[in-house]
Amino acid sequence: MAEASSRVPLAFDSRADQIFPTLTAAQIARLAAHGRVRRVEAGEVLFEAGEKIAQFFVVTAGRIEAVRRTAVGEELVAIEGPGQFSGEISMLSGRRGFVTFRAIEAGEVIEVGREELLTLVQTDSELSDILMRAFILRRATLIAHGIGDVVLVGSAHSSGTLRIKEFLTRNGHPYTYIDLDTDPGVQDLLDHFHVGVDDVPVVICRCTFVLRHPSNGEIAECLGFNEAIDQTHIRDVAIVGAGPSGLAAAVYGASEGLDVLVLEMNAPGGQAGSSSKIENYLGFPTGISGQELAARASTQAQKFGAQVMIAKDAKRLVCTRKPYVIEIDDGSRVSARVVVIATGAEYRKLPVDNLSQFDSSGVYYGATFVEAQLCDGDEVIVAGGGNSAGQAAVFLAQTARRVYVVVRSAGLAESMSRYLVRRIEENPKIVLRTHTEIVALDGNQHLERVSWRDTRSGTVEAHDIRHVFVMMGAVPNTRWLDGCIALDAAGFIKTGPDLSPDDLTAAHWPLARLPHLLETSLPGVFAVGDVRGGNVKRVASAVGEGSIAVSFVHQVLHE
Ligand SMILES: Cc1cc2nc3c(=O)[nH]c(=O)nc-3n(C[C@H](O)[C@H](O)[C@H](O)COP(=O)(O)OP(=O)(O)OC[C@H]3O[C@@H](n4cnc5c(N)ncnc54)[C@H](O)[C@@H]3O)c2cc1C
């Protein structure tokens, strides 16, 4: 065993008493009723880092250390004494743990199976509060300290690096980032794992597996994101998409006893997850970042027993028989009696031929702190006149030297909330360019120059600007439905009263009743959120629709 350092980063956190609460005798007794008492010897390993989490431990005598593996040995993360307990968010999802738990001295623990713990968390509100708060804060601290099982070696000039950073960040997975261009020790690490500079971005997964230019799916596979989920049994509900609408349906469905599986092609949060600050969602007077809202919602869904599969792209809905089957891009399938489509919408792109050349290398579709760091002190362009553009402009103005808001229209009043228009007008760093469109992007590995045209005069100007944020609205993610469901002219899904008698006849609607509110032209298939025709494109309406759909799901399941 390598000697552990004396660093105890988690314990230094100012909220240490919430991260490492000590349970009372009565609380321990309630947990003990669901588990078994186990003697441990000095040096005994209760749980090995990298294993799927199947047990939860409460220390009743002695001390347990949590250590993590590093490239050169081990590092001490925390020490748990009597009344304290193991675990963080992976306890809910059943994913692999980041640390090894080892007894420092002989003692005793109560061992509770993960399934029993999940039941307890759903039924004992006092224990639920203490455990959930500790699990969430522990994960947040692991992320803040980069204590995880992933090392990303990348470069600020590589779009793949930004994609992987976003994937890990938005999935709340801690990682250590090593920059090829600035980190002096990087060559030793590359040599150690036999990888070259051309292989970047490289993900070193669980200190063992080296992935060169990995896809999000390969990273999810290596980290075991979906390992604990049984794909073979028929679910009550399969929800496709883990944006606000899908997560709301998952929380309500699972909390009302339904067997819920969520499929998400990227990371929980959807479009909202890329928002730097949502200020108009009820209950958050000082705003909340989309990332935080998504993390909370996803944890809440899993607390109630919903299972969320990550990096799983639904490719086809087999709608000719029941239970419905959803085919996934990796060739696997899931079956469910009811399907909730919550696939949202995708950003509109700039009509510039070489746009994809600069995807994430100067052209971005979200303005979170990750992108803001990349353009610190630079000039940036925000293209678009809606609320997301307004928020991005105000957010980026905190760090950028100047923000140009570029719109084709004559102003913002018709497309943006009044409060944002006022903030833009009052911010001296933000310059509004009306009657303007971007016509060319230039650069080599990274965007270096942007040309825009004044649509009234036709004058084209080129500016040395390295960052463009495209915030021009979205088109629905319905291509995968392949003729199964009635869509409107723009490709959004028709539901409930929007389905005309002709739509229902064309779809061979088989039931005597009409479709429920939010039900599509296929019985038992619902559509919620931005993907639905007529939906108001807001977080609150997405959440509202996701939760309303669940009441109809119950009715359909009892038909
Ligand atoms: C930058 C930005 C800022 C915003 N700010 C605000 C705000 O402040 N206030 C507000 O009210 N609204 C805001 N909005 C709008 C709000 O985010 C959306 O209305 C909301 O996210 C819609 O939720 P949704 O669940 O319907 O869809 P989405 O959020 O689009 O989520 C859909 C999810 O489905 C997944 N998906 C798509 N296709 C598939 C597939 N085939 N298989 C599996 N998964 C799939 C996607 O990856 C995504 O995670 C903002 C939007 C953006 C882009």
Side-chain angles (χ1 to χ4, degrees):
M1 182 179 80
E3 200 179 328
S5 83
S6 59
R7 193 156 82 90
V8 192
L10 293 191
F12 284 140
D13 194 291
S14 58
R15 298 158 301 177
D17 54 336
Q18 293 181 12
I19 301 178
F20 297 110
T22 302
L23 300 176
T24 64
Q27 289 162 347
I28 294 173
R30 295 214 293 282
L31 274 158
H34 294 264
R36 68 177 183 103
V37 175
R38 172 173 158 186
R39 288 285 315 159
V40 290
E41 301 306 326
E44 186 177 335
V45 172
L46 284 86
F47 174 83
E48 190 79 58
E51 286 176 2
K52 277 192 271 181
I53 295 189
Q55 280 98 19
F56 168 82
F57 301 102
V58 186
V59 184
T60 46
R63 285 180 308 150
I64 306 287
E65 62 182 352
V67 294
R68 71 152 173 163
R69 245 186 293 160
T70 68
V72 287
E74 279 187 355
E75 188 173 66
L76 181 62
V77 173
I79 294 175
E80 312 269 15
Q84 296 180 320
F85 51 86
S86 66
E88 52 83 54
I89 286 294
S90 300
M91 188 64 72
L92 302 180
S93 59
R95 289 183 188 168
R96 292 172 189 273
F98 301 120
V99 295
T100 296
F101 280 101
R102 192 169 47 215
I104 298 175
E105 58 207 31
E108 188 184 271
V109 296
I110 294 167
E111 181 181 300
V112 182
R114 191 179 75 87
E115 293 297 330
E116 285 75 30
L117 185 80
L118 282 181
T119 307
L120 196 69
V121 160
Q122 288 163 29
T123 50
D124 187 321
S125 68
E126 188 194 26
L127 275 173
S128 172
D129 283 354
I130 297 168
L131 300 185
M132 290 298 291
R133 191 182 309 118
F135 290 167
I136 291 168
L137 289 173
R138 286 176 187 183
R139 174 60 70 93
T141 315
L142 291 175
I143 291 171
H145 290 273
I147 301 173
D149 50 2
V150 177
V151 176
L152 167 63
V153 183
S155 158
H157 306 295
S158 121
S159 60
T161 301
L162 184 62
R163 169 182 56 79
I164 295 170
K165 274 183 167 185
E166 283 186 346
F167 180 70
L168 293 170
T169 304
R170 289 187 56 179
N171 277 294
H173 198 92
Y175 66 96
T176 305
Y177 176 61
I178 296 178
D179 195 302
L180 194 64
D181 309 313
T182 57
D183 201 299
V186 71
Q187 194 56 52
D188 293 346
L189 187 81
L190 293 179
D191 292 346
H192 181 85
F193 286 102
H194 308 292
V195 288
V197 170
D198 292 344
D199 295 322
V200 161
V202 170
V203 169
I204 302 163
C205 169
R206 293 192 266 134
C207 284
T208 312
F209 304 102
V210 178
L211 308 177
R212 299 163 171 86
H213 300 290
S215 66
N216 291 348
E218 286 167 331
I219 298 170
E221 171 90 30
C222 186
L223 295 175
F225 276 4
N226 304 313
E227 274 174 347
I229 298 176
D230 172 13
Q231 253 176 274
T232 57
H233 74 271
I234 299 170
R235 306 287 176 149
D236 291 332
V237 197
I239 299 168
V240 187
S245 62
L247 288 173
V251 167
Y252 280 84
S255 68
E256 291 170 19
L258 299 178
D259 179 3
V260 176
L261 178 68
V262 184
L263 300 174
E264 167 54 51
M265 64 190 271
N266 186 19
Q271 297 170 70
S274 67
S275 173
S276 45
K277 199 171 197 185
I278 298 167
E279 290 192 64
N280 56 359
Y281 187 48
L282 188 73
F284 296 92
T286 55
I288 181 165
S289 76
Q291 167 74 31
E292 195 181 345
L293 187 66
R296 287 176 182 220
S298 164
T299 303
Q300 196 175 9
Q302 292 180 66
K303 166 185 142 174
F304 287 121
Q307 294 184 314
V308 185
M309 296 190 84
I310 296 300
K312 297 286 175 182
D313 189 348
K315 280 292 176 211
R316 196 164 87 91
L317 174 65
V318 181
C319 52
T320 45
R321 61 187 161 88
K322 281 189 163 185
Y324 294 118
V325 170
I326 298 163
E327 292 178 356
I328 302 175
D329 60 341
D330 61 6
S332 63
R333 350 170 88 206
V334 296
S335 306
R337 295 180 187 87
V338 170
V339 174
V340 176
I341 300 169
T343 45
E346 251 173 42
Y347 307 103
R348 281 212 175 81
K349 308 264 174 178
L350 286 171
V352 175
D353 287 346
N354 59 346
L355 181 73
S356 60
Q357 182 189 338
F358 301 113
D359 262 355
S360 304
S361 297
V363 173
Y364 318 98
Y365 295 90
T368 66
F369 77 98
V370 174
E371 290 83 10
Q373 279 175 335
L374 295 175
C375 45
D376 194 4
D378 291 350
E379 291 195 328
V380 307
I381 294 174
V382 173
N387 277 354
S388 54
Q391 285 167 2
V394 172
F395 173 67
L396 293 167
Q398 292 171 19
T399 44
R401 185 151 49 89
R402 177 163 298 125
V403 179
Y404 294 97
V405 176
V406 172
V407 290
R408 283 206 190 119
S409 60
L412 299 174
E414 283 184 11
S415 52
M416 196 180 283
S417 297
R418 181 69 204 132
Y419 82 97
L420 282 169
V421 175
R422 202 168 328 124
R423 283 190 200 174
I424 287 176
E425 286 167 353
E426 287 168 1
N427 193 322
K429 280 189 175 176
I430 305 180
V431 178
L432 176 63
R433 295 275 327 190
T434 58
H435 299 289
T436 303
E437 61 185 10
I438 291 174
V439 290
L441 303 175
D442 295 296
N444 289 315
Q445 285 186 330
H446 195 282
L447 177 66
E448 289 165 18
R449 195 167 312 102
V450 179
S451 301
W452 66 51
R453 178 169 55 208
D454 185 313
T455 54
R456 291 165 301 182
S457 65
T459 314
V460 175
E461 292 174 21
H463 293 264
D464 291 340
I465 294 178
R466 293 169 50 81
H467 312 281
V468 176
F469 291 81
V470 184
M471 304 275 169
M472 305 192 311
V475 287
N477 286 319
T478 48
R479 285 176 301 278
W480 64 284
L481 293 168
D482 196 23
C484 267
I485 281 170
L487 306 177
D488 68 16
F492 289 89
I493 299 175
K494 283 188 165 186
T495 55
D498 292 341
L499 287 159
S500 66
D502 286 350
D503 289 328
L504 295 180
T505 307
H508 305 294
W509 178 258
L511 305 178
R513 68 164 175 83
L514 289 173
H516 292 296
L517 193 76
L518 306 176
E519 195 173 20
T520 68
S521 58
L522 203 56
V525 176
F526 293 82
V528 292
D530 280 16
V531 76
R532 196 180 68 77
N535 158 277
V536 177
K537 306 233 164 341
R538 293 280 185 277
V539 174
S541 59
V543 169
E545 290 181 14
S547 53
I548 292 168
V550 171
S551 66
F552 297 115
V553 169
H554 286 293
Q555 292 184 32
V556 168
L557 286 171
H558 286 107
E559 263 173 3

